[in-house]
């Protein structure tokens, strides 16, 4: 997260114009929260959390496609603020409903690895491999989990698979 301040101000001004015209618009409030979430300012990010909590809490207020992304951004904001229990709660609810989204699942697995919840992360890795088998970030997470589990023989096999994978670029191979 994080964006250029000038672009943020312009985006926020446009969203606020829309909110002035349609103050009850859930989509405009969501847009405001998404713009605020890009800020590096703590107060702006807190406002984004407040807006998203209200929107996510009132599930009827968001469109089907808006709810998962709102929950995802909310979880990221909580994780960035080191409120890991709230981040985990939102991520679990997100994965329960959108577990077939490789972006959300990869973030969740990385979140678990970062929290040293390796056994839990290992439970989700097979799903991630099914959803995004060609994605380098998937393989990066697979190797991280195997390393932290001390499954070194499997780790070597996995690294060989990445190196032999024709869809992985030379630069990505070098990062393994």
């Amino acid at each position: 997260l994080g964006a250029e301040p000038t672009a943020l101000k312009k985006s926020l001004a446009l969203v606020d114009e829309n909110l002035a015209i349609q103050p009850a618009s859930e989509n405009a409030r969501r847009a405001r929260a998404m713009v605020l979430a890009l800020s590096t300012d703590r107060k702006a990010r807190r406002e984004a959390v407040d807006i998203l909590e209200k929107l996510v809490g009132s599930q009827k207020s968001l469109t089907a496609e808006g709810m998962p992304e709102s929950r995802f951004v909310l979880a990221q904001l909580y994780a960035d603020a080191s409120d890991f229990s709230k981040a985990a709660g939102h991520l679990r609810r997100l994965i329960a409903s959108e577990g077939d989204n490789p972006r959300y699942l990869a973030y969740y697995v990385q979140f678990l690895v970062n929290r040293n919840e390796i056994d839990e992360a290992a439970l989700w890795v097979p799903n991630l491999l099914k959803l995004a088998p060609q994605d380098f970030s998937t393989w990066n997470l697979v190797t991280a989990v195997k390393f932290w589990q001390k499954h070194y023989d499997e780790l070597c096999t996995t690294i060989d698979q990445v190196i032999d994978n024709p869809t992985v670029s030379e630069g990505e191979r070098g990062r393994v």
Side-chain angles (χ1 to χ4, degrees):
L1 300 177
E4 184 182 324
T6 305
L8 275 174
K9 286 180 184 177
K10 287 180 181 178
S11 298
L12 203 52
L14 289 172
V15 170
D16 286 344
E17 280 179 34
N18 194 28
L19 273 169
I21 296 166
Q22 299 177 330
S25 170
E26 300 290 339
N27 286 332
R29 290 195 345 231
R30 179 178 177 271
R32 179 173 174 74
M34 294 304 190
V35 171
L36 290 169
L38 295 172
S39 175
T40 56
D41 178 65
R42 177 178 275 170
K43 184 179 173 189
R45 293 171 70 81
R46 183 69 231 166
E47 184 180 344
V49 166
D50 292 343
I51 293 168
L52 290 171
E53 279 290 1
K54 288 175 187 159
L55 293 173
V56 169
S58 171
Q59 292 192 5
K60 64 181 169 56
S61 67
L62 288 175
T63 60
E65 62 274 357
M67 180 62 73
E69 193 63 22
S70 295
R71 191 174 294 284
F72 183 58
V73 170
L74 185 56
Q76 290 176 313
L77 287 166
Y78 278 130
D80 289 347
S82 300
D83 192 337
F84 300 117
S85 65
K86 286 185 180 176
H90 283 290
L91 286 169
R92 280 193 287 276
R93 284 190 291 278
L94 180 64
I95 294 305
S97 65
E98 301 290 324
D100 59 346
N101 183 316
R103 183 169 147 250
Y104 298 156
L105 188 56
Y107 184 88
Y108 183 54
V109 172
Q110 184 66 63
F111 174 83
L112 292 170
V113 169
N114 292 347
R115 303 273 306 134
N116 202 28
E117 296 178 33
I118 305 304
D119 291 338
E120 178 75 13
L123 294 174
W124 293 101
V125 164
N127 294 13
L128 188 56
L129 277 167
K130 287 178 195 167
L131 293 170
Q134 304 301 325
D135 192 355
F136 180 74
S137 65
T138 298
W139 290 99
N140 191 37
L141 288 168
V142 170
T143 57
V145 168
K146 290 185 185 302
F147 175 81
W148 289 110
Q149 287 181 315
K150 299 181 181 173
H151 295 171
Y152 302 122
D153 289 342
E154 292 176 31
L155 177 61
C156 290
T157 302
T158 301
I159 291 171
D160 287 342
Q161 288 173 335
V162 172
I163 291 170
D164 294 338
N165 188 337
T167 64
V168 176
S169 73
E170 288 295 323
E172 290 173 328
R173 284 188 191 121
R175 293 191 331 210
V176 176

